[in-house]
């Protein structure tokens, strides 16, 4: 993003709040150009220990009076309709399975409500609730016999050496596009929406979301997590395809696609990226709230 045009001290505090949430602790952290618009021109802190980052977030959040206050007193969540309007129409969260997307989505809904109400939708709503079993759940149950899956729909593909990734078959593509279009329908009806997503085929899915949501104020949030922790969470859940989270971690943000770097340089994908292993759930919520405020102030300043 360009310069905010406000006092250096104020801008610095806001930027620091955003920076403490970016992901230098991942086992294979992205390079500077992979951090999205919010920080692509910023210098990341050199000291990246989890405890330092957590202490920084708590201290700065306390200074901004954001931490653990009664709901009606929390930042921006006031009875005034003008304050409600600072929140984006969409909070789009993309990350691998078991990275903490659903926890973040639920905590944001609780934290911002009831004054600011966000509906939720996403890939699990499509796969596990909207579609009949033969479109995904029957394939998902064939963990030991992937060659018997119906590959017209959503199916699992082996990835060397021991991973699996979800693929979109020819009949499944229309249903996936329906998820995107139905989300636009919720927005056209005047709602706010949190999208809890996994772009398991990478860049083309992320681009579809970006194009569809472009008419609406949207905060794009990317979640990541070290593969070893994803493996542990996946195993503990017991209801996910073993080996899929680790594979998705390298796909969902589109960074492996040959077109990624050119497109990211032109129009960065994310406003914020969070390593969910480096921050606790409350701190993840604070990071998103501060990124939303930062983006709103930045855009308001540019328009004035």
């Amino acid at each position: 993003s360009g310069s905010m045009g406000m006092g250096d001290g104020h801008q610095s505090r806001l930027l620091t709040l955003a920076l403490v949430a970016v992901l230098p602790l991942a086992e294979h952290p992205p390079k500077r150009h992979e951090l999205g618009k919010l920080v692509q021109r910023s210098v990341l802190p050199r000291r990246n220990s989890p405890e330092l980052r957590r202490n920084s977030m708590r201290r700065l959040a306390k200074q901004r009076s954001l931490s653990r206050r009664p709901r009606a007193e929390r930042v921006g969540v006031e009875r005034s309709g003008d304050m409600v309007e600072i929140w984006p129409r969409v909070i789009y969260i993309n990350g691998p399975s078991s990275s903490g997307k659903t926890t973040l989505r639920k905590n944001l809904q609780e934290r911002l409500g009831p004054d600011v109400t966000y509906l939720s939708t996403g890939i699990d709503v499509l796969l596990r609730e909207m579609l009949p079993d033969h479109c995904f759940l029957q394939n998902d149950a064939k963990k030991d016999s992937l060659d018997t899956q119906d590959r017209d729909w959503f199916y699992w593909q082996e990835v060397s050496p021991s991973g699996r990734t979800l693929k979109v078959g020819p009949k499944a593509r229309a249903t996936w596009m329906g998820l995107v279009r139905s989300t636009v329908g919720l927005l056209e009806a005047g709602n706010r929406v949190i999208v809890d997503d996994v772009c398991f085929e990478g860049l083309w899915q992320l681009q579809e979301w970006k194009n569809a949501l472009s008419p609406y104020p949207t905060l794009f949030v990317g979640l990541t997590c070290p593969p070893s922790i994803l493996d542990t969470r996946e195993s503990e859940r017991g209801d996910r395809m073993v080996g899929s989270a680790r594979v998705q971690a390298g796909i969902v943000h589109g960074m492996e696609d040959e077109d990624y770097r050119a497109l990211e340089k032109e129009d960065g994908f994310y406003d914020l990226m969070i390593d969910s292993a480096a921050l606790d759930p409350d701190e993840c919520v604070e990071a998103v709230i501060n990124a939303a405020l930062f983006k709103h102030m930045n855009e308001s300043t540019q328009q004035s």
Side-chain angles (χ1 to χ4, degrees):
S1 301
S3 172
M4 291 179 62
M6 59 177 66
D8 291 342
H10 186 59
Q11 182 179 7
S12 176
R13 286 194 297 273
L14 284 172
L15 186 55
T16 302
L17 282 165
L19 287 175
V20 295
V22 295
L23 48 104
L25 293 177
E27 290 182 5
H28 301 288
K31 297 179 181 179
R32 179 178 167 190
H33 71 270
E34 295 167 341
L35 290 174
K37 282 182 177 178
L38 186 62
V39 295
Q40 66 184 8
R41 295 186 180 90
S42 305
V43 178
L44 298 180
R46 293 181 179 275
R47 297 181 181 180
N48 296 320
S49 70
E51 192 59 33
L52 176 62
R53 284 155 52 80
R54 290 190 179 103
N55 288 341
S56 298
M57 175 63 80
R58 292 190 183 104
R59 182 171 62 256
L60 289 165
K62 185 176 181 180
Q63 291 171 356
R64 297 282 296 169
S65 301
L66 296 176
S67 292
R68 294 160 178 78
R69 298 165 62 187
R71 178 184 290 134
E73 298 176 5
R74 288 169 183 162
V75 60
V77 186
E78 300 182 7
R79 303 299 176 184
S80 167
D82 291 339
M83 290 303 295
V84 170
E85 289 307 311
I86 74 172
W87 300 106
R89 290 289 303 282
V90 189
I91 301 175
Y92 176 85
I93 306 171
N94 179 41
S97 175
S98 301
S99 61
K101 299 181 305 300
T102 300
T103 297
L104 177 58
R105 183 262 298 170
K106 289 180 178 179
N107 288 346
L108 282 167
Q109 286 179 303
E110 172 65 19
R111 172 70 180 268
L112 295 173
D115 302 277
V116 183
T117 298
Y118 279 92
L119 307 184
S120 69
T121 188
I123 191 63
D124 273 354
V125 173
L126 174 65
L127 296 180
R128 302 180 183 277
E129 298 180 31
M130 295 175 66
L131 292 174
D133 288 358
H134 73 271
C135 298
F136 170 69
L137 291 177
Q138 288 180 3
N139 284 343
D140 192 48
K142 297 176 180 179
K143 293 178 172 57
D144 299 319
S145 54
L146 297 188
D147 56 341
T148 64
Q149 297 178 99
D150 182 351
R151 294 176 180 266
D152 282 339
W153 293 99
F154 295 96
Y155 65 94
W156 292 102
Q157 183 179 81
E158 293 278 5
V159 177
S160 180
S162 59
R164 294 174 177 183
T165 187
L166 196 60
K167 303 296 290 183
V168 180
K171 292 181 179 178
R173 190 179 181 97
T175 63
W176 187 88
M177 291 301 302
L179 172 66
V180 178
R181 299 292 184 265
S182 66
T183 302
V184 173
L186 292 173
L187 294 167
E188 288 177 344
N191 298 289
R192 283 183 169 82
V193 180
I194 298 177
V195 180
D196 177 349
D197 200 30
V198 181
C199 287
F200 46 83
E201 285 200 346
L203 190 62
W204 77 265
Q205 291 178 313
L206 193 55
Q207 287 179 294
E208 288 288 348
W209 278 112
K210 292 278 281 189
N211 292 338
L213 299 178
S214 61
Y216 305 95
T218 302
L219 186 74
F220 286 93
V221 179
L223 287 193
T224 188
C225 186
S228 59
I229 295 179
L230 289 176
D231 291 343
T232 300
R233 292 178 179 176
E234 186 177 62
S235 177
E236 290 174 348
R237 294 178 73 173
D239 62 348
R240 291 296 187 266
M241 183 68 73
V242 174
S244 63
R246 174 180 285 269
V247 175
Q248 289 171 359
I251 296 175
V252 295
H253 299 304
M255 295 176 185
E256 292 189 347
D257 192 289
E258 61 182 11
D259 294 327
Y260 170 79
R261 293 192 178 186
L263 290 170
E264 197 279 339
K265 184 177 180 181
E266 176 184 347
D267 184 30
F269 288 153
Y270 291 109
D271 298 294
L272 178 69
M273 291 192 77
I274 300 174
D275 178 357
S276 63
L279 301 179
D280 67 32
D282 285 338
E283 291 167 339
C284 289
V285 170
E286 300 293 350
V288 173
I289 287 176
N290 279 288
L293 293 173
F294 180 93
K295 186 171 185 177
H296 175 76
M297 290 180 175
N298 191 19
E299 292 176 347
S300 298
T301 301
Q302 290 176 349
Q303 293 172 4
S304 61

